[in-house]
Amino acid sequence: MAGPVLETARALVRKVVDDLRRRLAREVRQVLWGRLNRQRRSRLKVARNLDFHRTIRANLKHYDRDKKRLVVEALHFWSRTERHMPWHIILAVDCSGSMMDSVIYSAVMAGIFRGLPALRVSLAAFDTSVVDLSDQADDPTELLMNVQLGGGTDIAGALGYCETLVQNPQRTILVLVTDFCEGGSPTGLVLAVKRLREAGVRVLGLAALDEKAQPAYDRQMAERCVAVGAEVAALTPQRLAEWLAKVLS
């Protein structure tokens, strides 16, 4: 999966990431800096927190009539309701044999999430075992397109591992890229999704597409996951931006 195929995948990642950055600009700024608290003042002198109206009022007495300009001797700032706390995206990518037709799709989706600002990304590839690739995920598109596919599928086991990575459930999104063809315990998969949701983790299932961009996944298994709180969509990377913007907002 190298050469022209890899470059095409990277080009698609760049296009969708740029679109996502635009759509999520407001949400990202709020995640980075928090919302303004107009009930509290702050001594922290940061430009983005500047209280323009109070600053102008407090310095009107220093207005220079000859030069027709306001001389600012004191600045006033708003406080913020929260400190910087980025979203943690946990990507769990199914690399079992049944995902052969979806390897490019999985790699592109992983690259898109890795390219977003204000996100901390963990990456786990799995079949019947789990390999944590977070420390190698600078270019997940290339990484996943060089993964050797094969073996069975244990989605429940992969989600169990992902649970151990969760530090702040309210700020965690688990993105599961899979065809939902569970080779392990279907009940175990449903229970794993339920535990994550009850803890406060958002669980997004990106159902696999085949090489013709047609949905190729176990719909009944996906529906069971939705019933316990997961959000599942079978969509192209270009449609991801619209869907994800709605989820995060």
Side-chain angles (χ1 to χ4, degrees), residues 11-29:
L12 181 56
V13 168
R14 286 193 295 270
K15 178 180 178 181
V16 178
V17 166
D18 288 344
D19 188 15
L20 272 168
R21 285 175 183 267
R22 288 191 296 270
R23 290 175 182 267
L24 300 178
R26 179 177 300 175
E27 286 79 5
V28 167
R29 281 197 297 269

Side-chain angles (χ1 to χ4, degrees), residues 178-189:
T178 184
D179 56 10
F180 288 94
C181 296
E182 176 63 291
S185 168
T187 300
L189 170 54

Side-chain angles (χ1 to χ4, degrees), residues 13 99 212:
V13 168
M99 288 289 287
K212 296 181 180 179

Side-chain angles (χ1 to χ4, degrees), residues 211-233:
E211 75 280 2
K212 296 181 180 179
Q214 297 300 311
Y217 66 102
D218 185 331
R219 288 168 171 76
Q220 290 186 340
M221 192 71 252
E223 288 171 359
R224 291 182 64 182
C225 293
V226 169
V228 292
E231 297 167 77
V232 175

Side-chain angles (χ1 to χ4, degrees), residues 123-248:
L123 173 62
F126 70 91
D127 45 28
T128 52
S129 58
V130 183
V131 179
D132 194 320
L133 301 172
S134 302
D135 60 346
Q136 306 174 48
D138 289 337
D139 188 351
T141 306
E142 181 171 10
L143 182 64
L144 289 173
M145 288 176 69
N146 283 283
V147 167
Q148 180 65 47
L149 297 179
T153 313
D154 185 359
I155 308 174
L159 293 187
Y161 173 76
C162 291
E163 285 185 81
T164 68
L165 303 178
V166 177
Q167 297 178 355
N168 186 337
Q170 303 300 326
R171 285 282 177 176
T172 301
I173 301 174
L174 194 154
V175 181
L176 174 65
V177 185
T178 184
D179 56 10
F180 288 94
C181 296
E182 176 63 291
S185 168
T187 300
L189 170 54
V190 173
L191 290 176
V193 172
K194 185 178 180 181
R195 286 195 306 271
L196 287 160
R197 288 296 299 123
E198 289 177 345
V201 176
R202 299 292 293 272
V203 179
L204 308 184
L206 291 178
L209 305 183
D210 63 19
E211 75 280 2
K212 296 181 180 179
Q214 297 300 311
Y217 66 102
D218 185 331
R219 288 168 171 76
Q220 290 186 340
M221 192 71 252
E223 288 171 359
R224 291 182 64 182
C225 293
V226 169
V228 292
E231 297 167 77
V232 175
L235 38 72
T236 61
Q238 292 93 331
R239 293 294 304 277
L240 174 66
E242 179 182 351
W243 183 58
L244 186 61
K246 291 179 180 179
V247 170
L248 290 183

